[in-house]
Amino acid sequence: MSASSEMPYFVKPSVNLSPEEKATAYDQAYAAIIATIGDEADDTMKMATINCLLKTFLPYYYWVGFYLVRNGRLVVGPYQGTLGCLYIDFGRGVCGTVAATGRTKIVGNTHALEQGKEHIACDPNSRSEIVLPVRRADGSLLGVFDVDSSVEDSFDEIDQQWLERILSIFG
Ligand code: SME
């Protein structure tokens, strides 16, 4: 896998935040998300809006989007960033592993994983990642939510807590 590739004009390199800066940014993003789609029912509308507002407030969000469960595999849904892989099988890559286990995964250095098996590089610029399960009210798996950064070690438990809160909007 090539170490990196040229970023298209519409994507900027990630910039990590301190824990304090992160908490402030998520607070603002959460308020904007609730104000915009708080009581909407349409999942596609909610997904597209969440991607946009999180990418607006969090400068290390290089790629952000949803993979949805369709016929026993994952299919790319609404996202912002460079070209996303179209399909991901359960158990493959970070997304497929989270879909199979139902547990969140935080990866500090994606290039340290076995490519094609533990990690799928839709874009070689991805250096760290967080993937969370997304559930409906009945607990069934709607899909997974995936965020990539173009620098290492962008994600931690602060991201996990805020994203679990935001993604509960689908439950
Ligand atoms: N890296 C993910 C694939 C999706 S891209 O990041 C958009 C994975 O390993 O599952």
Side-chain angles (χ1 to χ4, degrees), residues 97-124:
T97 302
V98 170
T101 63
R103 286 194 299 277
T104 294
K105 267 182 84 72
I106 296 176
V107 179
N109 176 3
T110 55
H111 287 206
L113 298 180
E114 190 183 344
Q115 299 307 310
K117 190 162 176 284
E118 299 173 312
H119 177 252
I120 300 163
C122 307
D123 180 331

Side-chain angles (χ1 to χ4, degrees), residues 63 67 84-85 88 92-96 118-120 122 129 146 148:
W63 193 95
Y67 278 87
C85 306
I88 297 177
R92 199 163 152 255
V94 184
C95 294
E118 299 173 312
H119 177 252
I120 300 163
C122 307
E129 186 160 14
D146 178 20
D148 292 76

Side-chain angles (χ1 to χ4, degrees), residues 7-73:
M7 294 182 187
Y9 75 92
F10 63 88
V11 175
K12 288 203 201 113
S14 299
V15 177
N16 278 348
L17 294 182
S18 69
E20 298 71 31
E21 291 166 328
K22 230 184 225 193
T24 306
Y26 272 115
D27 208 39
Q28 294 167 336
Y30 183 76
I33 289 167
I34 297 304
T36 311
I37 57 168
D39 50 13
E40 293 295 340
D42 184 291
D43 283 347
T44 306
M45 171 210 286
K46 290 194 280 192
M47 290 175 184
T49 306
I50 286 169
N51 293 338
C52 168
L53 291 171
L54 285 171
K55 203 165 170 36
T56 300
F57 287 95
L58 293 143
Y60 52 94
Y61 274 48
Y62 177 77
W63 193 95
V64 53
F66 292 80
Y67 278 87
L68 308 173
V69 178
R70 295 274 185 280
N71 308 319
R73 60 194 313 206

